[in-house]
Amino acid sequence: NAGVTQTPKFQVLKTGQSMTLQCAQDMNHNSMYWYRQDPGMGLRLIYYSASEGTTDKGEVPNGYNVSRLNKREFSLRLESAAPSQTSVYFCASAWGASNQPQHFGDGTRLSIL
Amino acid sequence: RKEVEQDPGPFNVPEGATVAFNCTYSNSASQSFFWYRQDCRKEPKLLMSVYSSGNEDGRFTAQLNRASQYISLLIRDSKLSDSATYLCVVNYGSQGGKLIFGQGTELSVKP
C-alpha cells in the first residue's frame, strides 16, 4: 500500500552541487507531477508528465530538469543547486483526466547552503 | 488576480463550532474542484471532490457556484483533529490533469 514514494526525505546541499529527487508510484497512474512548496506561496508546479514519454513545464521550471523513466518513475534533477531552491518538494500522481485528484508523496525537504 | 484565492487565516474556533471556508477561482473553463487537507509539514491529502450539485461527507459539506466562480467548505461540529490547513484546488481549465492550488486556510480547533 505504498502509493507515491519519494526519496530522499531530507537533503542538504552546497550551492552548485547537483542531485536527483526520485519518485515512484504503484497505482498505475498515467500522470505524474513535481511541486515545490514555500512558506506563503502554496504549492507551485515545476514540471509534469501527462503520460509516459512526455514532459512539460509548469509554473516554475527554471533550474530543474525531469525524466519520466517509465510509467512508475518520475525524477527531478537540480543541475546546479541555488539557495533559492531550498524548499519542500512533493511528487504527485493521478490517472490524468481533469476530474481526477492527485495523490502525493510525503515530500523531500531540501536545504541549499 | 491570483488564479485561486482563499480566505486568509488562521481560523481559531472552539470544539463543536461550525466553520466555513471560501475560495474563488479565475479560470471560467475550470471543470474540476477539490478540497485537500494538509497537516503541518506533511503531504496534502484529498479531503473531497466538489460536485456541481454540492456534496456532503459526514461533517463536511462542499458547494460550488459556477456563475460566481466560488467554492466553499463547511465543517460542522469541529474536532481537535480537524486542525490543519485546507487547500482549495482547481483544475487548469482545458489543460487536463494540471491543478492550481490555493495558498490554504489554516484552521485551529481549540478545546
Side-chain angles (χ1 to χ4, degrees):
Chain A
N1 196 26
V4 180
T5 303
Q6 291 184 233
T7 55
K9 295 196 184 316
F10 301 92
Q11 185 70 50
V12 179
L13 294 177
K14 294 181 180 178
T15 297
Q17 287 185 314
S18 62
M19 82 161 293
T20 300
L21 308 186
Q22 306 287 352
C23 176
Q25 53 92 9
D26 62 4
M27 295 175 281
N28 202 33
H29 284 164
N30 295 311
S31 301
M32 298 186 73
Y33 311 82
W34 275 105
Y35 294 89
R36 60 179 290 174
Q37 187 174 34
D38 302 293
M41 298 294 291
L43 281 154
R44 292 183 292 169
L45 183 65
I46 304 171
Y47 270 94
Y48 71 104
S49 171
S51 61
E52 187 178 355
T54 68
T55 60
D56 284 287
K57 295 178 180 179
E59 182 185 355
V60 288
N62 291 343
Y64 305 95
N65 285 302
V66 290
S67 295
R68 183 73 183 268
L69 304 170
N70 48 54
K71 191 171 187 179
R72 289 188 63 247
E73 299 173 286
F74 188 39
S75 63
L76 178 72
R77 183 163 178 83
L78 286 71
E79 291 291 351
S80 179
S84 60
Q85 294 177 304
T86 293
S87 189
V88 180
Y89 291 84
F90 289 104
C91 176
S93 71
W95 288 111
S98 61
N99 63 346
Q100 297 300 310
Q102 295 176 11
H103 301 265
F104 285 79
D106 53 12
T108 296
R109 283 150 183 80
L110 181 62
S111 293
I112 317 293
L113 305 178
Chain B
R1 180 185 174 187
K2 292 179 183 175
E3 292 184 87
V4 178
E5 289 198 71
Q6 294 187 238
D7 280 346
F11 281 47
N12 296 301
V13 303
E15 265 188 299
T18 295
V19 60
F21 301 139
N22 301 313
C23 172
T24 57
Y25 61 95
S26 62
N27 189 338
S28 60
S30 296
Q31 294 295 320
S32 303
F33 310 90
F34 310 95
W35 283 101
Y36 277 70
R37 169 192 170 128
Q38 186 172 26
D39 293 284
C40 186
R41 298 178 64 78
K42 295 195 173 179
E43 76 276 20
K45 292 185 178 178
L46 178 68
L47 179 66
M48 59 197 302
S49 301
V50 185
Y51 302 119
S52 296
S53 55
N55 50 299
E56 187 174 308
D57 183 1
R59 297 182 293 107
F60 299 84
T61 300
Q63 296 280 350
L64 169 64
N65 183 322
R66 287 186 186 273
S68 301
Q69 295 180 204
Y70 171 91
I71 307 159
S72 65
L73 177 68
L74 184 76
I75 304 176
R76 292 182 299 278
D77 188 23
S78 299
K79 312 291 185 190
L80 296 176
S81 57
D82 293 334
S83 297
T85 296
Y86 290 83
L87 305 173
C88 174
V89 184
V90 175
N91 92 308
Y92 210 76
S94 59
Q95 297 190 43
K98 286 172 63 176
L99 300 178
I100 299 294
F101 287 75
Q103 289 187 303
T105 302
E106 184 182 346
L107 172 65
S108 179
V109 182
K110 306 292 189 185

